[in-house]
Amino acid sequence: MNHSPDLGVLLRPRPASPLAEVRDERFGRYGVRLLVKRDDLVHPELPGNKWRKLAPNLRAAVEGGFPGIVTFGGAYSNHLRATAAAGRLLGMETVGIVRGDELAGRPLNDSLARCAADGMRLCFVTRSEYRRKAEPQARARLLAGAGASSLYPVPEGGSNALALEGCAELGRELRGVSEVVAVACGTGGTLAGLAAGLGPGQRALGVPVLAGGFLDAEIRSLQEAAFGGPAGAWSLAEGFHHGGYARVPARLEAFAADFEERHGFPVERIYVAKLLWALAALAESGAFPAGTAVTAVVTGRPQAVPSGS
């Protein structure tokens, strides 16, 4: 694949994504206003935080003369799918190092099939190898094994210092809009950048979609790398992962379907449904004082998830 001669529409600055108030008694009865930031509409093929994280990294890769991008993700990774789409749009090679060598002998799920259709070369590795990807020597072995040592590396979820700069712009778009701005978290990069961009008196709230309680340290580390230290006010609301990543139990599915019917926009299940569920539960528990305005950032669009999760 050859680089596009120009970064074109993909990396051009884009207008702020739409913001609207949603009237829902699950919030209103407690005196809480809910606003929705439709960041899923920020780019037609790279919705929400994927465009905000990838655009600065893609620019660095193209301007640095790299032949392509290599990155990491699981079988249902939104980030892998977005990176593959970006590679197709820019005419760049993409390689995805995928967690789980057992997947190599199976038919590709819809998510990975989309990556392959967009030209991404998939390299499946053992879960133990994948867990060590942050270690320099292990990472070098993974890249070499994938034939990707010469490519521009982007971490899992796209979260690095450049990505945080992109996500800080999301915070700047929301300055003065609400006291709390909430986002679902996978690797923590969106929250880390969002918090840095918000104004005085605002707080970023992250809802982790994975179990484990590891994000606090990760967010601090990301902010140190991007901004030289802590930036903005943020906190995490743990306990709303519904069994783990890509798990969508029946009650969460019902909640998401009901929200879609009430308010007329699609609710992505792995991240956004868990975010909205958490905010409704927090409103009910009194976590937000009456009069509080909360903005929920919609970071993606619905994709296929495993049946029976």
Side-chain angles (χ1 to χ4, degrees):
M1 285 183 167
N2 296 317
H3 288 169
S4 167
D6 135 20
L7 297 181
V9 175
L10 178 65
L11 303 185
R12 210 172 282 159
R14 304 185 71 81
S17 55
L19 178 72
E21 184 163 357
V22 168
R23 300 194 181 277
D24 190 307
E25 71 270 17
R26 289 169 290 196
F27 296 87
R29 69 167 64 106
Y30 303 110
V32 176
R33 292 176 58 222
L34 177 66
L35 298 97
V36 174
K37 174 74 163 166
R38 292 292 307 277
D39 228 37
D40 56 317
L41 301 177
V42 75
H43 190 281
E45 297 203 59
L46 306 181
N49 61 346
K50 300 310 170 193
W51 179 80
R52 293 186 188 274
K53 288 179 173 183
L54 275 173
N57 279 287
L58 292 166
R59 185 176 295 108
V62 171
E63 293 176 351
F66 288 86
I69 301 281
V70 57
T71 193
F72 303 81
Y76 289 89
S77 168
N78 293 325
H79 169 66
L80 284 183
R81 220 168 27 246
T83 303
R88 170 175 52 79
L89 292 169
L90 283 176
M92 295 182 74
E93 178 185 359
T94 57
V95 174
I97 297 177
V98 185
R99 180 179 62 248
D101 61 333
E102 75 278 3
L103 301 172
R106 300 178 186 173
L108 297 178
N109 64 34
D110 289 346
S111 185
L112 293 177
R114 181 69 259 168
C115 292
D118 278 339
M120 176 174 274
R121 183 161 54 83
L122 301 172
C123 179
F124 299 93
V125 300
T126 67
R127 292 170 185 273
S128 60
E129 289 178 295
Y130 190 91
R131 279 194 295 272
R132 299 180 61 196
K133 65 187 179 300
E135 302 171 18
Q137 289 186 335
R139 181 189 184 89
R141 284 196 300 271
L142 286 171
L143 296 181
S149 298
S150 65
L151 305 187
Y152 181 94
V154 175
E156 182 178 32
S159 293
N160 59 11
L162 284 176
L164 264 64
E165 293 287 356
C167 292
E169 181 59 30
L170 170 62
R172 288 189 281 272
E173 289 178 16
L174 289 166
R175 282 187 176 177
V177 167
S178 61
E179 292 87 351
V180 178
V181 179
V183 65
C185 298
T187 55
T190 303
L191 178 68
L194 169 66
L198 293 174
Q202 291 182 288
R203 170 171 63 95
L205 175 66
V207 176
V209 301
L210 294 88
F214 60 89
L215 276 184
D216 189 279
E218 184 65 19
I219 292 164
R220 294 178 192 281
S221 175
L222 285 166
Q223 288 197 332
E224 178 70 32
F227 310 121
W234 58 270
S235 60
L236 294 171
E238 301 276 7
F240 297 103
H241 54 75
H242 292 265
Y245 186 75
R247 300 298 180 116
V248 185
R251 59 180 187 160
L252 181 63
E253 173 61 36
F255 172 87
D258 175 70
F259 203 97
E260 288 177 329
E261 185 175 347
R262 291 185 190 214
H263 303 301
F265 69 87
V267 175
E268 187 271 340
R269 299 316 199 241
I270 295 175
Y271 289 88
V272 179
K274 293 177 181 181
L275 168 68
L276 294 170
W277 173 294
L279 293 179
L282 291 168
E284 183 179 9
S285 73
F288 305 125
T292 300
V294 178
T295 298
V297 180
V298 177
T299 49
R301 304 189 197 109
Q303 300 288 343
V305 297
S307 60
S309 294

